[in-house]
Amino acid sequence: MHELSIAESLIDVARQHLPPAAQPRTITVHAGPLRAIEPDAMEWAWRAATEKTEFASTKLDLVELPWRLHCLTCRRDWDADHMNAACACGSTNARPIGGDELQLMSMDVAEAQTTENLK
Ligand SMILES: [Zn+2]
């Protein structure tokens, strides 16, 4: 269950970017295919890791990136569904570029209301 350690490291990164007293609503994360994140397991891990934290009600928006391939024959780069996809030139001599990305892209936060605003 490597999703749990991913969730914990995402919380660490998110905390560094979270303004004081702000309530995080949605966190958007981009994950490369080499990370092999299973969305259901990730959702479960996120709930487990954020329980009793300031992220308990935060939605995790996981965006799975496609494979990025580089054709060694025609030197074209393109996005593919799987790492063994053939290039448009007919070559199957392609190699993946990256794929191990795991990046917190954005965080949607609600500013905490001050007592003056509460009536
Ligand atoms: Zn090609």
mmCIF file of all heavy atoms in Angstrom, residues 47-86:
data_model
loop_
_atom_site.group_PDB
_atom_site.id
_atom_site.type_symbol
_atom_site.label_atom_id
_atom_site.label_comp_id
_atom_site.label_asym_id
_atom_site.label_seq_id
_atom_site.Cartn_x
_atom_site.Cartn_y
_atom_site.Cartn_z
ATOM 1 N N ARG A 47 -7.998 9.456 2.781
ATOM 2 C CA ARG A 47 -8.940 9.551 3.916
ATOM 3 C C ARG A 47 -8.268 9.089 5.205
ATOM 4 O O ARG A 47 -8.426 9.705 6.260
ATOM 5 C CB ARG A 47 -10.183 8.693 3.636
ATOM 6 C CG ARG A 47 -11.120 9.251 2.607
ATOM 7 C CD ARG A 47 -11.835 10.520 3.089
ATOM 8 N NE ARG A 47 -11.994 11.463 2.009
ATOM 9 C CZ ARG A 47 -11.518 12.717 2.013
ATOM 10 N NH1 ARG A 47 -10.902 13.193 3.061
ATOM 11 N NH2 ARG A 47 -11.678 13.501 0.976
ATOM 12 N N ALA A 48 -7.530 7.980 5.120
ATOM 13 C CA ALA A 48 -6.888 7.434 6.319
ATOM 14 C C ALA A 48 -5.814 8.383 6.849
ATOM 15 O O ALA A 48 -5.704 8.608 8.054
ATOM 16 C CB ALA A 48 -6.276 6.067 6.000
ATOM 17 N N ALA A 49 -5.027 8.959 5.933
ATOM 18 C CA ALA A 49 -3.896 9.790 6.358
ATOM 19 C C ALA A 49 -4.348 11.156 6.858
ATOM 20 O O ALA A 49 -3.660 11.780 7.668
ATOM 21 C CB ALA A 49 -2.911 9.957 5.192
ATOM 22 N N THR A 50 -5.494 11.644 6.364
ATOM 23 C CA THR A 50 -5.920 12.994 6.735
ATOM 24 C C THR A 50 -6.878 13.008 7.916
ATOM 25 O O THR A 50 -7.235 14.074 8.402
ATOM 26 C CB THR A 50 -6.625 13.708 5.550
ATOM 27 O OG1 THR A 50 -7.733 12.903 5.122
ATOM 28 C CG2 THR A 50 -5.656 13.944 4.410
ATOM 29 N N GLU A 51 -7.308 11.826 8.340
ATOM 30 C CA GLU A 51 -8.237 11.755 9.466
ATOM 31 C C GLU A 51 -7.640 12.509 10.662
ATOM 32 O O GLU A 51 -6.459 12.366 10.971
ATOM 33 C CB GLU A 51 -8.462 10.280 9.829
ATOM 34 C CG GLU A 51 -9.710 10.063 10.636
ATOM 35 C CD GLU A 51 -9.878 8.594 10.984
ATOM 36 O OE1 GLU A 51 -8.967 7.814 10.687
ATOM 37 O OE2 GLU A 51 -10.924 8.264 11.561
ATOM 38 N N LYS A 52 -8.462 13.330 11.289
ATOM 39 C CA LYS A 52 -8.051 14.124 12.453
ATOM 40 C C LYS A 52 -6.960 15.143 12.128
ATOM 41 O O LYS A 52 -6.213 15.578 13.009
ATOM 42 C CB LYS A 52 -7.576 13.219 13.598
ATOM 43 C CG LYS A 52 -8.662 12.270 14.112
ATOM 44 C CD LYS A 52 -8.192 11.577 15.389
ATOM 45 C CE LYS A 52 -9.257 10.656 15.938
ATOM 46 N NZ LYS A 52 -9.287 9.358 15.225
ATOM 47 N N THR A 53 -6.820 15.528 10.869
ATOM 48 C CA THR A 53 -5.908 16.613 10.512
ATOM 49 C C THR A 53 -6.731 17.741 9.897
ATOM 50 O O THR A 53 -7.946 17.597 9.701
ATOM 51 C CB THR A 53 -4.844 16.186 9.479
ATOM 52 O OG1 THR A 53 -5.483 16.058 8.201
ATOM 53 C CG2 THR A 53 -4.185 14.878 9.859
ATOM 54 N N GLU A 54 -6.054 18.862 9.584
ATOM 55 C CA GLU A 54 -6.753 19.975 8.951
ATOM 56 C C GLU A 54 -7.180 19.635 7.518
ATOM 57 O O GLU A 54 -7.886 20.395 6.877
ATOM 58 C CB GLU A 54 -5.875 21.233 8.976
ATOM 59 C CG GLU A 54 -4.605 21.166 8.140
ATOM 60 C CD GLU A 54 -3.410 20.587 8.904
ATOM 61 O OE1 GLU A 54 -3.570 19.566 9.590
ATOM 62 O OE2 GLU A 54 -2.305 21.166 8.771
ATOM 63 N N PHE A 55 -6.745 18.463 7.012
ATOM 64 C CA PHE A 55 -7.111 18.054 5.662
ATOM 65 C C PHE A 55 -8.252 17.024 5.649
ATOM 66 O O PHE A 55 -8.541 16.428 4.621
ATOM 67 C CB PHE A 55 -5.896 17.473 4.936
ATOM 68 C CG PHE A 55 -4.780 18.470 4.772
ATOM 69 C CD1 PHE A 55 -3.707 18.486 5.653
ATOM 70 C CD2 PHE A 55 -4.818 19.397 3.746
ATOM 71 C CE1 PHE A 55 -2.683 19.412 5.512
ATOM 72 C CE2 PHE A 55 -3.794 20.322 3.588
ATOM 73 C CZ PHE A 55 -2.729 20.336 4.470
ATOM 74 N N ALA A 56 -8.894 16.825 6.807
ATOM 75 C CA ALA A 56 -9.905 15.774 6.913
ATOM 76 C C ALA A 56 -11.061 15.965 5.933
ATOM 77 O O ALA A 56 -11.643 15.000 5.452
ATOM 78 C CB ALA A 56 -10.421 15.693 8.341
ATOM 79 N N SER A 57 -11.393 17.231 5.621
ATOM 80 C CA SER A 57 -12.514 17.463 4.703
ATOM 81 C C SER A 57 -12.012 17.928 3.327
ATOM 82 O O SER A 57 -12.783 18.440 2.523
ATOM 83 C CB SER A 57 -13.472 18.502 5.293
ATOM 84 O OG SER A 57 -12.797 19.735 5.468
ATOM 85 N N THR A 58 -10.726 17.749 3.089
ATOM 86 C CA THR A 58 -10.149 18.191 1.823
ATOM 87 C C THR A 58 -10.281 17.101 0.769
ATOM 88 O O THR A 58 -9.985 15.936 1.026
ATOM 89 C CB THR A 58 -8.656 18.540 2.003
ATOM 90 O OG1 THR A 58 -8.530 19.466 3.070
ATOM 91 C CG2 THR A 58 -8.076 19.128 0.726
ATOM 92 N N LYS A 59 -10.728 17.514 -0.415
ATOM 93 C CA LYS A 59 -10.871 16.557 -1.518
ATOM 94 C C LYS A 59 -9.538 16.434 -2.247
ATOM 95 O O LYS A 59 -8.870 17.437 -2.525
ATOM 96 C CB LYS A 59 -11.951 17.070 -2.475
ATOM 97 C CG LYS A 59 -12.214 16.180 -3.669
ATOM 98 C CD LYS A 59 -13.274 16.843 -4.569
ATOM 99 C CE LYS A 59 -13.613 15.958 -5.759
ATOM 100 N NZ LYS A 59 -12.469 15.671 -6.622
ATOM 101 N N LEU A 60 -9.154 15.207 -2.539
ATOM 102 C CA LEU A 60 -7.937 14.967 -3.317
ATOM 103 C C LEU A 60 -8.327 14.772 -4.785
ATOM 104 O O LEU A 60 -9.085 13.855 -5.119
ATOM 105 C CB LEU A 60 -7.204 13.728 -2.806
ATOM 106 C CG LEU A 60 -5.927 13.368 -3.578
ATOM 107 C CD1 LEU A 60 -4.853 14.425 -3.373
ATOM 108 C CD2 LEU A 60 -5.415 12.001 -3.175
ATOM 109 N N ASP A 61 -7.830 15.663 -5.638
ATOM 110 C CA ASP A 61 -8.108 15.561 -7.068
ATOM 111 C C ASP A 61 -6.863 14.992 -7.745
ATOM 112 O O ASP A 61 -5.892 15.705 -7.985
ATOM 113 C CB ASP A 61 -8.462 16.955 -7.611
ATOM 114 C CG ASP A 61 -8.904 16.892 -9.067
ATOM 115 O OD1 ASP A 61 -9.154 15.775 -9.563
ATOM 116 O OD2 ASP A 61 -8.991 17.954 -9.691
ATOM 117 N N LEU A 62 -6.900 13.696 -8.012
ATOM 118 C CA LEU A 62 -5.738 13.019 -8.583
ATOM 119 C C LEU A 62 -5.833 13.008 -10.109
ATOM 120 O O LEU A 62 -6.785 12.467 -10.674
ATOM 121 C CB LEU A 62 -5.674 11.579 -8.059
ATOM 122 C CG LEU A 62 -4.527 10.723 -8.588
ATOM 123 C CD1 LEU A 62 -3.188 11.201 -8.057
ATOM 124 C CD2 LEU A 62 -4.752 9.267 -8.243
ATOM 125 N N VAL A 63 -4.850 13.613 -10.764
ATOM 126 C CA VAL A 63 -4.811 13.633 -12.223
ATOM 127 C C VAL A 63 -3.692 12.701 -12.673
ATOM 128 O O VAL A 63 -2.518 12.938 -12.379
ATOM 129 C CB VAL A 63 -4.562 15.064 -12.755
ATOM 130 C CG1 VAL A 63 -4.487 15.061 -14.278
ATOM 131 C CG2 VAL A 63 -5.654 16.000 -12.269
ATOM 132 N N GLU A 64 -4.066 11.637 -13.363
ATOM 133 C CA GLU A 64 -3.063 10.678 -13.830
ATOM 134 C C GLU A 64 -2.534 11.119 -15.191
ATOM 135 O O GLU A 64 -3.291 11.225 -16.156
ATOM 136 C CB GLU A 64 -3.690 9.292 -13.921
ATOM 137 C CG GLU A 64 -4.105 8.758 -12.565
ATOM 138 C CD GLU A 64 -4.900 7.470 -12.689
ATOM 139 O OE1 GLU A 64 -6.124 7.552 -12.874
ATOM 140 O OE2 GLU A 64 -4.288 6.392 -12.622
ATOM 141 N N LEU A 65 -1.249 11.372 -15.243
ATOM 142 C CA LEU A 65 -0.637 11.834 -16.483
ATOM 143 C C LEU A 65 -0.475 10.662 -17.457
ATOM 144 O O LEU A 65 -0.281 9.526 -17.030
ATOM 145 C CB LEU A 65 0.733 12.456 -16.195
ATOM 146 C CG LEU A 65 0.745 13.652 -15.235
ATOM 147 C CD1 LEU A 65 2.178 14.087 -14.950
ATOM 148 C CD2 LEU A 65 -0.048 14.811 -15.816
ATOM 149 N N PRO A 66 -0.541 10.945 -18.768
ATOM 150 C CA PRO A 66 -0.303 9.871 -19.747
ATOM 151 C C PRO A 66 1.188 9.557 -19.836
ATOM 152 O O PRO A 66 2.026 10.298 -19.310
ATOM 153 C CB PRO A 66 -0.812 10.490 -21.061
ATOM 154 C CG PRO A 66 -0.587 11.958 -20.876
ATOM 155 C CD PRO A 66 -0.808 12.228 -19.405
ATOM 156 N N TRP A 67 1.520 8.443 -20.502
ATOM 157 C CA TRP A 67 2.924 8.185 -20.817
ATOM 158 C C TRP A 67 3.402 9.231 -21.808
ATOM 159 O O TRP A 67 2.687 9.605 -22.736
ATOM 160 C CB TRP A 67 3.079 6.797 -21.439
ATOM 161 C CG TRP A 67 2.950 5.694 -20.452
ATOM 162 C CD1 TRP A 67 1.828 4.946 -20.215
ATOM 163 C CD2 TRP A 67 3.955 5.208 -19.563
ATOM 164 N NE1 TRP A 67 2.083 4.029 -19.228
ATOM 165 C CE2 TRP A 67 3.381 4.158 -18.816
ATOM 166 C CE3 TRP A 67 5.286 5.559 -19.327
ATOM 167 C CZ2 TRP A 67 4.087 3.460 -17.851
ATOM 168 C CZ3 TRP A 67 5.995 4.867 -18.365
ATOM 169 C CH2 TRP A 67 5.397 3.825 -17.632
ATOM 170 N N ARG A 68 4.617 9.706 -21.610
ATOM 171 C CA ARG A 68 5.247 10.609 -22.569
ATOM 172 C C ARG A 68 6.363 9.797 -23.227
ATOM 173 O O ARG A 68 7.284 9.350 -22.538
ATOM 174 C CB ARG A 68 5.795 11.845 -21.835
ATOM 175 C CG ARG A 68 6.360 12.908 -22.756
ATOM 176 C CD ARG A 68 5.253 13.776 -23.318
ATOM 177 N NE ARG A 68 5.796 14.722 -24.289
ATOM 178 C CZ ARG A 68 5.076 15.257 -25.267
ATOM 179 N NH1 ARG A 68 3.797 14.951 -25.407
ATOM 180 N NH2 ARG A 68 5.624 16.095 -26.109
ATOM 181 N N LEU A 69 6.257 9.593 -24.538
ATOM 182 C CA LEU A 69 7.233 8.748 -25.231
ATOM 183 C C LEU A 69 8.067 9.557 -26.209
ATOM 184 O O LEU A 69 7.606 10.559 -26.769
ATOM 185 C CB LEU A 69 6.515 7.618 -25.993
ATOM 186 C CG LEU A 69 5.673 6.652 -25.157
ATOM 187 C CD1 LEU A 69 5.088 5.569 -26.045
ATOM 188 C CD2 LEU A 69 6.465 6.044 -24.019
ATOM 189 N N HIS A 70 9.281 9.101 -26.394
ATOM 190 C CA HIS A 70 10.194 9.712 -27.363
ATOM 191 C C HIS A 70 10.580 8.641 -28.378
ATOM 192 O O HIS A 70 11.095 7.584 -28.014
ATOM 193 C CB HIS A 70 11.437 10.254 -26.649
ATOM 194 C CG HIS A 70 12.483 10.749 -27.597
ATOM 195 N ND1 HIS A 70 12.344 11.922 -28.307
ATOM 196 C CD2 HIS A 70 13.687 10.216 -27.975
ATOM 197 C CE1 HIS A 70 13.422 12.096 -29.065
ATOM 198 N NE2 HIS A 70 14.241 11.082 -28.892
ATOM 199 N N CYS A 71 10.305 8.925 -29.657
ATOM 200 C CA CYS A 71 10.619 7.965 -30.717
ATOM 201 C C CYS A 71 12.094 8.107 -31.092
ATOM 202 O O CYS A 71 12.561 9.187 -31.433
ATOM 203 C CB CYS A 71 9.736 8.213 -31.932
ATOM 204 S SG CYS A 71 10.130 7.115 -33.310
ATOM 205 N N LEU A 72 12.820 6.978 -31.020
ATOM 206 C CA LEU A 72 14.252 7.024 -31.344
ATOM 207 C C LEU A 72 14.477 7.016 -32.855
ATOM 208 O O LEU A 72 15.588 7.279 -33.312
ATOM 209 C CB LEU A 72 14.962 5.826 -30.706
ATOM 210 C CG LEU A 72 14.926 5.804 -29.179
ATOM 211 C CD1 LEU A 72 15.557 4.531 -28.645
ATOM 212 C CD2 LEU A 72 15.622 7.028 -28.603
ATOM 213 N N THR A 73 13.428 6.726 -33.622
ATOM 214 C CA THR A 73 13.559 6.695 -35.079
ATOM 215 C C THR A 73 13.362 8.087 -35.673
ATOM 216 O O THR A 73 14.221 8.591 -36.392
ATOM 217 C CB THR A 73 12.545 5.707 -35.691
ATOM 218 O OG1 THR A 73 12.750 4.425 -35.084
ATOM 219 C CG2 THR A 73 12.708 5.609 -37.195
ATOM 220 N N CYS A 74 12.211 8.722 -35.344
ATOM 221 C CA CYS A 74 11.940 10.040 -35.938
ATOM 222 C C CYS A 74 12.098 11.169 -34.907
ATOM 223 O O CYS A 74 11.899 12.323 -35.225
ATOM 224 C CB CYS A 74 10.542 10.072 -36.566
ATOM 225 S SG CYS A 74 9.195 10.093 -35.352
ATOM 226 N N ARG A 75 12.426 10.836 -33.687
ATOM 227 C CA ARG A 75 12.710 11.810 -32.624
ATOM 228 C C ARG A 75 11.490 12.645 -32.212
ATOM 229 O O ARG A 75 11.619 13.738 -31.696
ATOM 230 C CB ARG A 75 13.870 12.742 -33.009
ATOM 231 C CG ARG A 75 15.096 11.975 -33.413
ATOM 232 C CD ARG A 75 16.366 12.786 -33.296
ATOM 233 N NE ARG A 75 17.539 11.926 -33.522
ATOM 234 C CZ ARG A 75 18.081 11.153 -32.584
ATOM 235 N NH1 ARG A 75 17.591 11.147 -31.373
ATOM 236 N NH2 ARG A 75 19.111 10.378 -32.866
ATOM 237 N N ARG A 76 10.307 12.093 -32.450
ATOM 238 C CA ARG A 76 9.095 12.780 -32.046
ATOM 239 C C ARG A 76 8.771 12.447 -30.577
ATOM 240 O O ARG A 76 9.031 11.332 -30.135
ATOM 241 C CB ARG A 76 7.944 12.322 -32.947
ATOM 242 C CG ARG A 76 6.639 13.063 -32.796
ATOM 243 C CD ARG A 76 5.638 12.596 -33.856
ATOM 244 N NE ARG A 76 5.076 11.277 -33.538
ATOM 245 C CZ ARG A 76 3.890 11.082 -32.953
ATOM 246 N NH1 ARG A 76 3.137 12.111 -32.628
ATOM 247 N NH2 ARG A 76 3.445 9.870 -32.703
ATOM 248 N N ASP A 77 8.211 13.417 -29.845
ATOM 249 C CA ASP A 77 7.697 13.166 -28.496
ATOM 250 C C ASP A 77 6.172 13.200 -28.543
ATOM 251 O O ASP A 77 5.607 14.087 -29.175
ATOM 252 C CB ASP A 77 8.170 14.249 -27.514
ATOM 253 C CG ASP A 77 9.682 14.230 -27.326
ATOM 254 O OD1 ASP A 77 10.320 13.222 -27.675
ATOM 255 O OD2 ASP A 77 10.209 15.242 -26.841
ATOM 256 N N TRP A 78 5.550 12.267 -27.876
ATOM 257 C CA TRP A 78 4.092 12.303 -27.846
ATOM 258 C C TRP A 78 3.549 11.610 -26.609
ATOM 259 O O TRP A 78 4.269 10.885 -25.931
ATOM 260 C CB TRP A 78 3.511 11.697 -29.133
ATOM 261 C CG TRP A 78 3.408 10.200 -29.165
ATOM 262 C CD1 TRP A 78 2.276 9.470 -28.961
ATOM 263 C CD2 TRP A 78 4.463 9.249 -29.394
ATOM 264 N NE1 TRP A 78 2.577 8.127 -29.054
ATOM 265 C CE2 TRP A 78 3.895 7.963 -29.324
ATOM 266 C CE3 TRP A 78 5.828 9.358 -29.665
ATOM 267 C CZ2 TRP A 78 4.641 6.799 -29.513
ATOM 268 C CZ3 TRP A 78 6.578 8.197 -29.837
ATOM 269 C CH2 TRP A 78 5.991 6.947 -29.766
ATOM 270 N N ASP A 79 2.253 11.861 -26.328
ATOM 271 C CA ASP A 79 1.577 11.232 -25.187
ATOM 272 C C ASP A 79 0.925 9.937 -25.645
ATOM 273 O O ASP A 79 0.279 9.904 -26.697
ATOM 274 C CB ASP A 79 0.485 12.160 -24.637
ATOM 275 C CG ASP A 79 1.086 13.392 -23.975
ATOM 276 O OD1 ASP A 79 2.275 13.353 -23.618
ATOM 277 O OD2 ASP A 79 0.363 14.388 -23.822
ATOM 278 N N ALA A 80 1.074 8.889 -24.868
ATOM 279 C CA ALA A 80 0.525 7.589 -25.251
ATOM 280 C C ALA A 80 -0.214 6.960 -24.079
ATOM 281 O O ALA A 80 -0.016 7.325 -22.920
ATOM 282 C CB ALA A 80 1.652 6.666 -25.709
ATOM 283 N N ASP A 81 -1.089 5.983 -24.407
ATOM 284 C CA ASP A 81 -1.862 5.290 -23.374
ATOM 285 C C ASP A 81 -1.004 4.292 -22.608
ATOM 286 O O ASP A 81 -1.264 3.993 -21.460
ATOM 287 C CB ASP A 81 -3.041 4.546 -24.003
ATOM 288 C CG ASP A 81 -4.083 5.504 -24.542
ATOM 289 O OD1 ASP A 81 -4.091 6.665 -24.094
ATOM 290 O OD2 ASP A 81 -4.874 5.097 -25.411
ATOM 291 N N HIS A 82 -0.022 3.715 -23.280
ATOM 292 C CA HIS A 82 0.846 2.763 -22.596
ATOM 293 C C HIS A 82 2.268 2.897 -23.128
ATOM 294 O O HIS A 82 2.500 3.481 -24.191
ATOM 295 C CB HIS A 82 0.332 1.332 -22.749
ATOM 296 C CG HIS A 82 0.144 0.898 -24.169
ATOM 297 N ND1 HIS A 82 1.097 0.223 -24.881
ATOM 298 C CD2 HIS A 82 -0.882 1.085 -25.028
ATOM 299 C CE1 HIS A 82 0.658 -0.013 -26.096
ATOM 300 N NE2 HIS A 82 -0.534 0.503 -26.221
ATOM 301 N N MET A 83 3.226 2.344 -22.373
ATOM 302 C CA MET A 83 4.627 2.637 -22.679
ATOM 303 C C MET A 83 5.146 1.873 -23.899
ATOM 304 O O MET A 83 6.232 2.165 -24.389
ATOM 305 C CB MET A 83 5.515 2.371 -21.454
ATOM 306 C CG MET A 83 5.612 0.919 -21.035
ATOM 307 S SD MET A 83 6.761 0.727 -19.631
ATOM 308 C CE MET A 83 8.327 1.151 -20.407
ATOM 309 N N ASN A 84 4.377 0.907 -24.404
ATOM 310 C CA ASN A 84 4.827 0.170 -25.582
ATOM 311 C C ASN A 84 4.109 0.613 -26.844
ATOM 312 O O ASN A 84 4.101 -0.101 -27.847
ATOM 313 C CB ASN A 84 4.619 -1.340 -25.368
ATOM 314 C CG ASN A 84 5.443 -1.852 -24.201
ATOM 315 O OD1 ASN A 84 6.619 -1.519 -24.074
ATOM 316 N ND2 ASN A 84 4.829 -2.627 -23.335
ATOM 317 N N ALA A 85 3.490 1.786 -26.799
ATOM 318 C CA ALA A 85 2.749 2.279 -27.957
ATOM 319 C C ALA A 85 3.705 2.525 -29.129
ATOM 320 O O ALA A 85 4.862 2.895 -28.946
ATOM 321 C CB ALA A 85 2.023 3.568 -27.595
ATOM 322 N N ALA A 86 3.180 2.302 -30.348
ATOM 323 C CA ALA A 86 3.983 2.552 -31.547
ATOM 324 C C ALA A 86 3.851 4.014 -31.942
ATOM 325 O O ALA A 86 2.818 4.648 -31.738
ATOM 326 C CB ALA A 86 3.515 1.652 -32.694
#
